[in-house]
Amino acid sequence: MRFRAFVSFLALGVPSFAAQLTQIQNYGGSARAKPGMWVYVPDTVKSDALVIAIHSCQSSAQKYFQNNKIPWKQGSDAKGYVTVWPSSTTECWDVSSKSSLSHNGGGDSNAIANMITYAIKKYEIDPKKVFVTGGSSGGMMSNVLAATYPELISAVSLYSGVPAGCFVSTSGASAAWNNTCSGGQSISTAEHWGDVVRGMYSGYNGTRPRMQFWHGSIDATLSPKNYDETLKQWTNVFGVTTTPTKSQKDTPEKNYRTDDFGPSVQGIWAVGVGHSVPSHLTISEAWFGL
C-alpha cells in the first residue's frame, strides 16, 4: 500500500527540486576579462529580481554556492529570485587595474556587468531589481561595481571590503594586492573618496545604488579602518554627513551596531568579529527590498 501511495504521489507531478547551479558559456559583451558566469534559477520563480553573489579570494562560483555560510541559494529557493555567481579566473577579483576601475574598461567589473545585462534579458528581470553582494574580495568588487556600473544596480550589501579604488595598482597589474589599503593606511578625505567613485564613470549623473556595508572590529585581513573610509566615500557620493541619522546598538544582533546615514547609506559595525563578517540573509534581503 505504501508503494502504491508513493507511485500515486509521483503521478501527481509533484516537483522534484531539480534546480542546480548552471554555467553560461557565452554571456556576450566585449570585455577582455572572461570570468565564468554561473546561474541558479530556483524551481519556482516567484520574483523578477536578480542577486549577484560574488565570491572571496581563493574561491569560485561553485565553492561559494556550496558554502553553507553563504545563504543566497536558500534565499533564492525561499523567495524565488534568480542568482548569478561570477567565478574569477585569478586568485582574487581584479579591483586594481584601470580596466576594472573604469566604466566599459574591459576588466572583471565590465565582464560582471555583461553578466547582469545577459541575465536581465534571459530571465526577464526587472532592471530596477538588480542587487549585488559579496564578501572580502567579492565585497571589494561589489564596491567597484557600484562605482563603475551604477546604472545597472539598485542596491549593494557588501561584507568586509574596502573603498572602491582603494586597491588601485600603480603598476597597472590586475588583481594586485595592496598592502597599504589592506593595512588600513589608505586614509583620505571624504571628498577624495567620492571623487574616486565619480572618476570611475566620468560624467554619470544618474541614480546610484543604495549602499550597505558590514565590517568586523578585529578584522586582521582588511583593516577595520576601511569601514571608516568606505563610510566617507559613500556619504560623500550621496551628499550626506558622516553623522548617523539613526543608530541602533545590538542590531541586527548583540555586539553589532547599525548606523543609517539617510535612506541610501547604511553601515553595520560588528564588535569582536574578524574577517569576514558572516552573511546575514534576512538583513541583506531587507536592504534589497526582497
Side-chain angles (χ1 to χ4, degrees):
M1 289 296 292
R2 289 181 179 177
F3 178 75
R4 289 180 186 175
F6 179 66
V7 171
S8 297
F9 179 79
L10 292 179
L12 292 174
V14 176
S16 59
F17 298 100
Q20 58 186 326
L21 191 67
T22 303
Q23 185 172 18
I24 303 300
Q25 295 292 344
N26 183 13
Y27 50 85
S30 58
R32 295 183 298 277
K34 296 297 180 185
M37 176 183 183
W38 295 75
V39 178
Y40 181 73
V41 180
D43 286 297
T44 303
V45 177
K46 298 180 286 187
S47 170
D48 56 358
L50 175 70
V51 174
I52 316 299
I54 310 176
H55 67 72
S56 55
C57 286
Q58 299 176 330
S59 189
S60 65
Q62 301 96 313
K63 291 178 182 178
Y64 207 52
F65 180 80
Q66 294 166 1
N67 188 337
N68 291 332
K69 295 181 180 180
I70 306 302
W72 290 99
K73 176 187 180 298
Q74 295 93 311
S76 177
D77 285 333
K79 296 193 174 179
Y81 52 79
V82 175
T83 49
V84 166
W85 305 72
S87 196
S88 177
T89 57
T90 54
E91 186 174 279
C92 298
W93 288 102
D94 175 12
V95 292
S96 307
S97 72
K98 184 177 180 180
S99 62
S100 203
L101 297 177
S102 303
H103 182 77
N104 289 338
D108 280 354
S109 63
N110 197 166
I112 296 175
N114 292 339
M115 296 179 198
I116 293 173
T117 302
Y118 174 94
I120 287 173
K121 183 177 180 180
K122 174 70 175 179
Y123 304 107
E124 299 181 342
I125 300 299
D126 182 344
K128 295 181 180 180
K129 296 180 182 178
V130 176
F131 310 108
V132 174
T133 187
S136 191
S137 182
M140 297 186 208
M141 178 53 76
S142 298
N143 251 340
V144 167
L145 283 168
T148 50
Y149 298 93
E151 78 281 12
L152 293 179
I153 303 165
S154 295
V156 172
S157 178
L158 67 96
Y159 293 78
S160 308
V162 303
C166 187
F167 252 57
V168 64
S169 170
T170 55
S171 68
S174 63
W177 190 260
N178 187 311
N179 287 321
T180 303
C181 179
S182 66
Q185 298 170 331
S186 294
I187 308 298
S188 193
T189 64
E191 182 71 21
H192 167 79
W193 284 123
D195 286 344
V196 169
V197 167
R198 290 182 284 270
M200 290 187 190
Y201 190 175
S202 181
Y204 180 76
N205 58 8
T207 302
R208 297 202 180 259
R210 298 169 63 244
M211 301 298 298
Q212 179 190 72
F213 42 91
W214 307 62
H215 215 108
S217 69
I218 57 170
D219 190 331
T221 301
L222 297 173
S223 170
K225 291 182 180 179
N226 282 299
Y227 172 90
D228 297 324
E229 302 309 296
T230 302
L231 173 60
K232 291 178 189 177
Q233 184 169 66
W234 290 108
T235 51
N236 181 265
V237 169
F238 281 97
V240 297
T241 73
T242 55
T243 301
T245 53
K246 181 180 180 181
S247 186
Q248 296 176 279
K249 293 182 178 180
D250 293 328
T251 302
E253 62 178 90
K254 187 175 175 60
N255 295 327
Y256 282 58
R257 187 189 76 235
T258 298
D259 292 329
D260 292 330
F261 304 86
S264 298
V265 181
Q266 184 178 78
I268 301 176
W269 180 249
V271 177
V273 177
H275 187 76
S276 70
V277 177
S279 295
H280 285 65
L281 178 67
T282 302
I283 306 303
S284 292
E285 283 185 332
W287 185 252
F288 294 160
L290 293 171

